[in-house]
Amino acid sequence: MKLVSVAIDGPVGAGKSTIARTAAKRLGFVYCDTGALYRAVGLYCLRSGTDMGDSSAIAARLPEITVEIRLVDGVQRVFLNGSDVSEEIRLPEVSMAASTVSAVPEVRAALLDLQRGIAEKNNVIMDGRDIGTVVLPNADVKIFLTAKPEIRAKRRYDELVSKGMEVVFEDVLEDLQKRDYNDSHRAAAPLKQAEDAVLADTSELDFEQSVELVCGIIQNQNSNKT
């Protein structure tokens, strides 16, 4: 039976990870959070005191880094050089570092084979910034998941507050807008909607409705190709 690959792209704070993870569980697919891979690289660079304004310095760190995705009790966990960093990579400063390292071509090349290998072996839902355009250009289903910036910032703010972090909404919105600009203007695989991707705007939807929308698109698009 043919394996099915689903590429979900979109800007930061669109809920790609939580929506894709839930949709994958309901459909019986493997979920791959590619953003977590870049966050792990960004975390390592921060820990090692790398000059984040020097792309060659970031690239020079790659031989020191091993990133793995493992399923632990059915939940995806991210390991950096053997240590579970699944929680730490969600910190705001790591988010900005992830945006920085993801613009480095050497970093994208290093993680590309890992991502494609997962799709070759599983029915997979993979989310990120350039899945449908670069990583899985031949994906069976492509979705561009987005929402208005203020909506995305509020969702991210609520998520951070729920984890006990002291954050200011205006700061979260400013960081989100900076990442939107950086992700869409970088030279290496900029964020953009693939020509054959279905646009899914969740600005007016709650979480459950967003998951239903994504699952519906996947089932509809895949049935049309079989």
Side-chain angles (χ1 to χ4, degrees):
M1 191 172 183
K2 182 183 181 298
L3 294 175
V4 178
S5 56
V6 179
I8 299 181
D9 292 308
V12 61
K16 296 186 302 297
S17 296
T18 50
I19 292 171
R21 183 184 298 110
T22 304
K25 186 174 182 179
R26 292 187 184 179
L27 297 173
F29 282 33
V30 169
Y31 166 65
C32 178
D33 173 11
T34 63
L37 304 177
Y38 290 98
R39 287 172 177 268
V41 174
L43 174 60
Y44 183 86
C45 289
L46 289 178
R47 285 178 172 178
S48 59
T50 305
D51 180 357
M52 300 303 285
D54 185 348
S55 59
S56 61
I58 293 172
R61 292 293 185 185
L62 289 172
E64 307 168 12
I65 302 172
T66 299
V67 183
E68 298 175 88
I69 290 179
R70 303 179 194 170
L71 286 179
V72 179
D73 296 328
V75 177
Q76 176 185 281
R77 307 293 291 180
V78 180
F79 288 77
L80 172 61
N81 292 346
S83 298
D84 189 339
V85 294
S86 303
E87 305 303 326
E88 193 171 356
I89 61 173
R90 299 301 168 184
L91 295 172
E93 59 268 29
V94 180
S95 294
M96 290 303 296
S99 183
T100 299
V101 302
S102 67
V104 179
E106 292 88 346
V107 174
R108 306 199 73 81
L111 296 178
L112 187 60
D113 287 343
L114 174 61
Q115 296 168 63
R116 286 179 173 168
I118 294 173
E120 289 172 358
K121 300 173 184 176
N122 304 276
N123 288 317
V124 65
I125 295 180
M126 191 175 293
D127 74 281
R129 300 286 189 278
D130 64 343
I131 308 304
T133 54
V134 177
V135 179
L136 300 178
N138 297 316
D140 299 286
V141 181
K142 297 180 184 180
I143 299 172
F144 192 84
L145 188 69
T146 190
K148 297 175 182 176
E150 293 76 15
I151 298 293
R152 291 187 280 123
K154 181 61 166 62
R155 291 171 180 171
R156 178 56 59 89
Y157 171 81
D158 290 341
E159 177 188 358
L160 295 173
V161 170
S162 70
K163 294 181 179 179
M165 300 181 188
E166 294 185 5
V167 291
V168 177
F169 172 76
E170 288 74 15
D171 293 339
V172 175
L173 177 59
E174 183 179 354
D175 284 347
L176 181 144
Q177 291 171 326
K178 285 181 180 177
R179 287 199 63 189
D180 280 353
Y181 182 86
N182 291 341
D183 290 343
S184 61
H185 287 77
R186 67 191 181 204
L191 170 67
K192 62 180 180 180
Q193 181 178 344
E195 292 184 3
D196 53 347
V198 177
L199 179 64
D201 190 322
T202 65
S203 296
E204 307 300 325
L205 305 180
D206 60 22
F207 178 74
E208 179 60 30
Q209 291 170 327
S210 299
V211 172
E212 290 180 358
L213 173 63
V214 167
C215 286
I217 292 172
I218 293 171
Q219 292 170 324
N220 181 62
Q221 291 285 305
N222 191 45
S223 64
N224 288 341
K225 294 182 179 182
T226 56

